[in-house]
Amino acid sequence: MASQSLAAATAGHGGARCGRHHVGWRAPPNFAAPDWRREGARGGRWRCVGVCLKPVEDDNLSPSAAPVPAPPSRLSADQAVEESRKWGRDSGLLPKPLSLTDLSVTEKGSKVRVAYQGLPGAFSEAAALKAYPQCEAVPCEQFEVAFKAVELWLVDKAVLPIENSMDGSIHRNYDLLLCHNLHIVGEVQLSVNHCLLALPGVKKDELKRVLSHPQALGQCGIALSKLGVIRESVDDTAGAAQLIALKGLRDAGAIASARAADIYGLHILEENVQDVPKNVLRCLVLAREPILPRTDRPFKTSIVFTLEEGPGVLFKALGVFALRKINLTKIESRPQRNNPLRVVDDLNHGTAKYFDYLFYIDFEASMAEPRAQSALSNLQEFATFLRVLGSYPMDTTL
């Protein structure tokens, strides 16, 4: 197998791109995107026919390095009331989330800028601070805005959720991974502590409704049912806390983080109100350039591929990893939206229609390892499309 040549191919993005979501960006004059091509037939070696950026080791990424900066000390009731009024008077004290209309190229300083979806106090912000403790966290209104902010050089990285231990995959971000030309350079695992927040002086039995993101409301269903409150959905957990502080809603509570309580001057009525105590959020770190895969620490590799219709084809695809003792940590299927149906002849020479799927797989191996290179070379022999999304260090801390 052409192991070393396939390792180089992981730096590029061979394959489909969703033009509907792809947005161009103004790169530096000396920049040219890598264009990897296979010479000759399937067994030929990979070579770069464009000018390639050299992958860099992401030394700033340190999931287990410095801890997240501690939030300010908890305020007294009188101080908290004054703080909540302050936010109501001057919401400009908080960073304004990027929107689609804000995506214009600007100069950036030396500090690492990391985009996340939501408002200050969101769990995604905590994940960004865990990955880059000294970063400037940049809030974005939508997931797609965070992707585009990286592509347009407005920020250096993006930290976005991909799955949750209670609710499973976040399908929107799986789709956006294929639609944008970014690399996965790291992962962050964050323990989620859902807190019930309210204005200072408000008691639990005074609440008539609770605001939060739909996923957070679903994860705290048992506690909310006991309270007998109306559940109202908002865009994100921190946004619920901000809304209560800005409007002074004394009949409403919010499900959000303890950090959100400190930021918006709210009181924590109860912590860990989620139905399952161990609630873990996994996020991906995205960048414009890949990092060099290594073998001196645990690495994970993420790929996406498609297969022809036929008996045992998926079994054969998974077998290339089992034969090399490579552990799979995640498998996800998503429909191909551009070609949702595949028409084939059945045994009686009629026509049958099948849904056409993309398969996303995470496996525990670095692309610097010969067994990983050999596995993907084997998979390439019968996959109709294969793209390496990234090879990156695993986060083993919570």
Side-chain angles (χ1 to χ4, degrees):
M1 303 291 179
S3 59
Q4 291 186 348
S5 58
L6 200 120
T10 62
H13 285 307
R17 206 186 283 172
C18 179
R20 186 159 55 101
H21 294 291
H22 183 73
V23 174
W25 48 275
R26 279 180 273 172
N30 62 346
F31 176 86
D35 185 7
W36 291 92
R37 305 283 176 84
R38 184 184 285 280
E39 293 181 335
R42 286 185 180 269
R45 67 184 182 89
W46 290 87
R47 69 185 182 91
C48 179
V49 298
V51 178
C52 298
L53 287 175
K54 180 182 179 182
V56 295
E57 178 61 44
D58 194 351
D59 293 327
N60 292 317
L61 181 63
S62 54
S64 58
V68 177
S73 58
R74 201 58 53 80
L75 303 174
S76 67
D78 292 339
Q79 290 174 320
V81 170
E82 182 57 32
E83 284 294 307
S84 63
R85 289 174 180 167
K86 180 178 71 174
W87 297 122
R89 288 196 305 268
D90 189 5
S91 59
L93 293 173
L94 293 173
K96 179 179 177 294
L98 287 175
S99 66
L100 286 170
T101 58
D102 295 328
L103 296 178
S104 58
V105 178
T106 58
E107 293 294 327
K108 65 178 188 293
S110 58
K111 197 171 187 179
V112 176
R113 288 168 55 85
V114 181
Y116 67 93
Q117 189 275 329
L119 292 172
F123 290 105
S124 292
E125 182 198 35
L129 292 172
K130 181 185 178 185
Y132 299 94
Q134 305 303 320
C135 76
E136 177 186 350
V138 180
C140 298
E141 288 184 347
Q142 304 166 22
F143 292 133
E144 189 171 1
V145 174
F147 274 86
K148 290 180 179 178
V150 180
E151 288 181 325
L152 293 170
W153 296 72
L154 293 175
V155 297
D156 304 293
K157 306 284 192 300
V159 174
L160 298 172
I162 197 67
E163 62 179 326
N164 177 269
S165 60
M166 290 184 66
D167 293 331
S169 301
I170 299 171
H171 295 134
R172 178 58 178 160
N173 284 338
Y174 270 105
D175 295 338
L176 289 172
L177 281 173
L178 197 61
C179 294
H180 292 270
N181 191 29
L182 297 180
H183 302 262
I184 304 174
V185 298
E187 68 172 358
V188 183
Q189 297 195 86
L190 185 74
S191 182
V192 174
N193 172 19
H194 284 309
C195 301
L196 179 61
L197 314 179
L199 289 172
V202 174
K203 299 180 180 179
K204 279 201 291 187
D205 56 10
E206 298 178 46
L207 299 178
K208 305 298 180 185
R209 53 194 174 127
V210 171
L211 288 62
S212 195
H213 186 275
Q215 190 178 62
L217 292 174
Q219 293 175 359
C220 304
I222 295 176
L224 296 179
S225 296
K226 289 180 180 179
L227 285 175
V229 293
I230 298 172
R231 308 173 195 188
E232 296 185 11
S233 298
V234 294
D235 289 340
D236 66 276
T237 56
Q242 185 192 56
L243 184 64
I244 289 175
L246 288 175
K247 295 191 175 182
L249 304 176
R250 299 193 66 82
D251 67 334
I255 299 293
S257 66
R259 180 177 171 82
D262 288 310
I263 291 175
Y264 302 108
L266 300 182
H267 176 60
I268 298 178
L269 298 177
E270 186 178 352
E271 294 194 49
N272 290 306
V273 294
Q274 62 265 21
D275 299 343
V276 180
K278 293 183 179 179
N279 185 8
V280 180
L281 179 67
R282 177 173 173 252
C283 298
L284 298 178
V285 183
L286 304 174
R288 290 179 294 273
E289 303 171 19
I291 62 172
L292 286 171
R294 295 163 56 173
T295 58
D296 59 345
R297 52 179 158 169
F299 258 66
K300 185 181 291 184
T301 299
S302 298
I303 64 172
V304 56
F305 61 92
T306 57
L307 300 168
E308 290 287 356
E309 183 65 38
V313 178
L314 181 57
F315 174 79
K316 184 179 178 181
L318 300 181
V320 305
F321 302 100
L323 290 172
R324 295 163 178 86
K325 301 186 184 305
I326 296 176
N327 184 43
L328 303 184
T329 60
K330 175 77 174 177
I331 179 168
E332 181 76 28
S333 62
R334 295 291 297 150
Q336 292 201 58
R337 295 183 178 181
N338 293 336
N339 300 294
L341 291 176
R342 176 180 296 169
V343 180
V344 298
D345 289 335
D346 63 13
L347 295 177
N348 296 321
H349 305 290
T351 57
K353 293 184 178 180
Y354 298 93
F355 286 108
D356 213 359
Y357 286 95
L358 292 157
F359 296 98
Y360 292 83
I361 281 182
D362 296 342
F363 59 86
E364 292 181 342
S366 167
M367 283 309 301
E369 297 180 57
R371 60 174 183 154
Q373 300 166 16
S374 174
L376 292 198
S377 293
N378 194 175
L379 180 60
Q380 179 72 34
E381 293 174 6
F382 51 89
T384 54
F385 161 70
L386 172 62
R387 172 173 157 184
V388 178
L389 298 170
S391 190
Y392 48 92
M394 295 172 57
D395 182 10
T396 57
T397 64
L398 276 178

